[in-house]
Amino acid sequence: MALVNTKKMFEMAYKNGYAVGAFNVNNMEITQGIIDAVAEEKAPLILQVSRGGRKYASLSYLRAIIDVVVEENPDIPVAINLDHGDNFETCKQFVDAGFTSVMIDASKQPFEENIKVTKQVVEYAHPRDVVVEAELGQLGGIEEDVVGVEDVSKHVADPNQVVEFVEKSGCDSLAVACGTSHGAYKFKSEPKLAFDVIQEIGDRLPGFPLVMHGSSSVLREFVDLINKYGGDMPNAMGVPEESVSKAAKLGICKVNIDTDLRLALTAKIRQVFAEIPGEFDPRKYLGPGREAIREMVRHKLHVVGCAGKAAECM
Ligand code: G3H
Ligand code: 13P
Ligand code: ZN
């Protein structure tokens, strides 16, 4: 049984200067594409389910798919994480469903409130051997229109708060807003992360695992394919992969990637439909889509540096 929490993974990632890729799952094909890549590259794995994922596929279906992943890959340490849990109840539900990690995202709330709810989740999770990720600072997003280097300083995590936050809340890892945002439109001009902030937070929390959300790179090749085959994604821009690799060496132990997988899947499906307009067998487009996800994840495992690290994380 290789279902684990993230403790050992983060310990090794921190020590050896890499990050573990955390990939969002919403259905069977996405999950299969991810695990095929991870098995091939012998990497540790964090699978995560968002509230949207649960709404789309239901927790029990996703949990059953993940059970197969764990059962069929005894040599791969697999952690399963609730992504952006919005309150205690949601976190409790995922702990009760057997998740080994939960993220409580109370970063929009005042500092003291964030500590309070994070601590409440920690007190429920820890006795059940479940780890807790918390968040400080405001991640940008399309909704909030927090994009572009000019906005970074207003939304990054405050290094002055991190020690107090970690000590009082008892969280096991901390997502630190550092200029990234979710989705395919992260920057209006030159992409730039607040590395000084990551560095300072890392210095104040030696040995403590940090997390980077919104880490997709929105690779030109995939956006171009989508646009070529009838899509419309102008000005899509992500975090350069060199920046993701650099962050992984600065105490970022978990790198969240969802959008890049969505782009790979969408590009491939669009291509199949464009090239074979008569195709109507879902296996003939979801199959190649799954393959595209596998290739993307294989590539990402090298970007974050966790390829070949499965054994040391067991
Ligand atoms: O947190 C962001 C992830 O990409 C999940 O997105 O809420 O649309 O499933 P979602
Ligand atoms: P991306 O949208 O950059 O893939 O980020 C995903 C994420 O942070 C999930 O929590
Ligand atoms: Zn996120």
Side-chain angles (χ1 to χ4, degrees):
M1 194 68 168
L3 187 61
V4 296
N5 66 32
T6 55
K7 274 185 194 158
K8 179 82 177 175
M9 289 180 190
F10 288 170
E11 187 192 319
M12 298 316 288
Y14 191 93
K15 189 172 149 203
N16 296 320
Y18 61 86
V20 180
F23 304 102
N24 288 69
V25 294
N26 293 288
N27 69 8
M28 183 188 76
E29 284 80 5
I30 294 172
T31 316
Q32 287 177 327
I34 296 168
I35 189 61
D36 287 352
V38 161
E40 224 170 310
E41 296 291 340
K42 300 187 175 16
L45 173 63
I46 301 171
L47 290 173
Q48 46 188 24
V49 175
S50 67
R51 277 190 304 143
R54 183 185 60 180
K55 197 169 161 205
Y56 172 74
S58 98
L59 192 47
S60 44
Y61 271 85
L62 293 174
R63 190 66 182 85
I65 291 169
I66 292 168
D67 279 345
V68 178
V69 167
V70 172
E71 207 175 293
E72 292 189 347
N73 295 276
D75 299 334
I76 301 294
V78 182
I80 47 176
N81 178 51
L82 160 64
D83 192 24
H84 295 283
D86 55 339
N87 57 33
F88 173 78
E89 276 312 314
T90 308
C91 293
K92 179 179 181 298
Q93 201 177 8
F94 277 73
V95 171
D96 294 345
F99 277 56
T100 60
S101 170
V102 288
M103 176 196 189
I104 171 70
D105 181 358
S107 58
K108 286 194 180 69
Q109 296 184 32
F111 183 65
E112 293 300 337
E113 198 49 43
N114 190 354
I115 291 177
K116 195 172 154 199
V117 66
T118 302
K119 188 165 185 274
Q120 190 188 8
V121 174
V122 165
E123 282 169 357
Y124 189 76
H126 280 183
R128 293 161 177 84
D129 207 21
V130 174
V131 292
V132 178
E133 175 185 331
E135 180 168 320
L136 266 185
Q138 298 272 298
L139 215 75
I142 323 167
E143 301 86 7
E144 296 101 323
D145 197 29
V146 183
V147 288
V149 61
E150 62 275 12
D151 296 315
V152 165
S153 62
K154 292 184 201 144
H155 302 278
V156 292
D158 180 354
N160 293 316
Q161 293 184 327
V162 295
V163 173
E164 184 186 352
F165 185 85
V166 168
E167 277 176 2
K168 286 190 174 166
S169 70
C171 67
D172 301 277
S173 62
L174 188 63
V176 289
C178 58
T180 67
S181 56
H182 291 127
Y185 303 90
K186 300 185 192 299
F187 302 96
K188 280 179 181 150
S189 52
E190 189 204 350
K192 201 171 164 198
L193 300 193
F195 282 111
D196 52 337
V197 171
I198 301 176
Q199 179 82 57
E200 202 178 333
I201 292 174
D203 289 348
R204 291 186 190 214
L205 293 172
F208 191 81
L210 305 177
V211 178
M212 191 162 93
H213 282 247
S215 310
S216 281
S217 297
V218 189
L219 300 166
R220 194 73 253 159
E221 177 191 343
F222 293 85
V223 175
D224 286 349
L225 275 175
I226 287 172
N227 289 338
K228 176 177 170 188
Y229 293 116
D232 183 18
M233 296 191 68
N235 309 318
M237 202 187 291
V239 181
E241 290 188 329
E242 314 84 73
S243 297
V244 176
S245 303
K246 183 175 165 184
K249 296 198 181 338
L250 293 175
I252 298 282
C253 295
K254 173 173 177 269
V255 164
N256 283 15
I257 298 173
D258 185 3
T259 296
D260 279 342
L261 276 53
R262 296 179 181 195
L263 294 176
L265 180 65
T266 302
K268 184 49 77 177
I269 290 175
R270 278 192 176 279
Q271 185 180 5
V272 172
F273 284 151
E275 289 176 352
I276 318 169
E279 188 54 71
F280 66 95
D281 179 345
R283 294 168 299 187
K284 299 284 170 53
Y285 52 88
L286 291 176
R290 176 173 60 192
E291 189 60 20
I293 287 187
R294 183 178 71 86
E295 281 306 319
M296 177 63 80
V297 173
R298 278 191 67 190
H299 170 67
K300 292 292 168 182
L301 296 172
H302 289 276
V303 171
V304 303
C306 71
K309 310 290 189 190
E312 70 180 36
C313 294
M314 286 296 262

